[in-house]
Amino acid sequence: MYDYDLLVVGSANADLVISVERRPGAGETVLGSDLAVHPGGKGANQAVAAARLGARTALLARVGDDAHGRLLLESQRAAGVDTVGVLVGGAPTGVALITVDPSGDNSIVVSPGANSRLTPEDVRAAGCLFQGSRVVSAQLEIPLETVVEAVRNLAPGSRFVLNPSPPRPLPREVLAACDPLIVNEHEAKVILGDSAVGDSPEDWARILLAKGPRSVVVTLGGQGALVASSEGVSRVPAVAVDAVDTTGAGDSFTAALAWRLGAGASLAQAAAYAARVGAATVTRKGAQASFPTAAEVPAP
């Protein structure tokens, strides 16, 4: 019935990465490593991560007619992603400026470029992709109105997964479609806004659920994750690894979870698998280059 296990609607960026001993404070300059350029962007990352795991994956995105755009298209195709939905032109390819410290933590500034030109009209023109996809995943490095249009074009019976990053308040129409809404601590607090009460992730999850999503996943880094739905709230343990670079870990988690949900796993089962995929990701440098194949995912 479905041509694709997962359709990713989102961003495609060139990641410009510099390793630093520490990140600079205001007005401060620090020296770093040589510049490394990698294919990235939350949408492109999720598509590659899912395809590496074996999911039949398509990407709806926009890149510039430039070297960075060609890098991104080549990376998608090499991973086995169907790029029929990747549009070219309108603006330079988006760029993410990333600093990585010795602990593997990163700070990111994004110049959206062509990502900001992915429009609701582009979504409507890709109707066949939506009709042929079991699960649709999105993020917020593209215009919010484009995400709203993606929700409106979902095929009957398909599932919508949203990682609201970078976070912003979400319209009720989008929240109601999320199954699940995947947030980290920072994203949860932004979306909760004045509704934020309590200090525990269980509190955040319950309040987020009350705002309309069918399910919620809160990622907790080294503490694992938490899943919440009408059936209750439960913890998913972390997988202990030595982190080298956390870039892309959240994207690989989201992609793995979306794919496993589409394959019939429960929310807790899918999150546990996604945690193992995320753990494998942080043991390697870079974003897309660090994503594991199914054979490389740690056993439970």
Side-chain angles (χ1 to χ4, degrees):
M1 177 180 178
Y2 295 104
D3 297 319
Y4 303 104
D5 299 311
L6 179 64
L7 168 63
V8 182
V9 183
S11 58
N13 294 324
D15 287 348
L16 309 185
V17 184
I18 300 177
S19 296
V20 294
E21 286 300 315
R22 59 183 177 82
R23 281 165 283 185
E28 182 182 16
T29 299
V30 299
L31 293 177
S33 67
D34 290 343
L35 176 69
V37 181
H38 304 291
K42 289 186 175 299
N45 285 352
Q46 287 182 17
V48 167
R52 286 259 181 88
L53 293 169
R56 296 170 300 161
T57 308
L59 174 66
L60 176 59
R62 184 176 286 277
V63 299
D65 185 10
D66 49 34
H68 287 157
R70 290 187 286 277
L71 171 72
L72 284 156
L73 281 166
E74 289 168 5
S75 175
Q76 294 293 310
R77 291 166 180 158
V81 176
D82 190 334
T83 59
V84 67
V86 180
L87 307 168
V88 178
T93 301
V95 172
L97 308 176
I98 303 173
T99 57
V100 182
D101 70 17
S103 72
D105 285 333
N106 60 64
S107 295
I108 305 174
V109 177
V110 174
S111 171
N115 295 306
S116 64
R117 274 72 165 186
L118 188 67
T119 65
E121 289 75 16
D122 294 331
V123 169
R124 289 192 288 271
C128 59
L129 288 178
F130 285 86
Q131 294 304 309
S133 298
R134 185 183 303 275
V135 180
V136 175
S137 175
Q139 326 78 39
L140 297 183
E141 289 183 337
I142 56 175
L144 182 57
E145 59 266 28
T146 304
V147 176
V148 172
E149 192 64 27
V151 167
R152 292 173 178 170
N153 281 267
L154 294 171
S158 67
R159 190 162 188 159
F160 182 68
V161 176
L162 177 67
N163 172 218
S165 179
R168 70 190 83 171
L170 295 171
R172 185 175 297 275
E173 180 180 5
V174 171
L175 284 168
C178 294
D179 192 15
L181 175 74
I182 303 176
V183 293
N184 62 20
E185 177 179 351
H186 171 63
E187 292 154 1
K189 290 180 176 178
V190 169
I191 292 171
L192 286 170
D194 294 337
S195 302
V197 294
D199 295 323
S200 76
E202 285 82 359
D203 291 334
W204 311 333
R206 291 188 181 98
I207 300 166
L208 284 169
L209 270 180
K211 289 182 172 289
R214 301 176 195 181
S215 59
V216 170
V217 175
V218 182
T219 58
L220 302 170
Q223 303 303 309
L226 179 149
V227 300
S229 68
S230 59
E231 298 177 358
V233 179
S234 61
R235 290 266 185 161
V236 175
V239 179
V241 294
D242 293 324
V244 173
D245 182 358
T246 60
T247 306
D251 298 328
S252 66
F253 179 97
T254 297
L257 185 141
W259 174 49
R260 297 313 301 158
L261 286 174
S266 70
L267 186 61
Q269 290 169 337
Y273 180 77
R276 301 200 301 276
V277 171
T281 298
V282 302
T283 62
R284 306 172 184 173
K285 287 186 177 293
Q288 293 180 19
S290 69
F291 297 152
T293 64
E296 294 170 330
V297 177

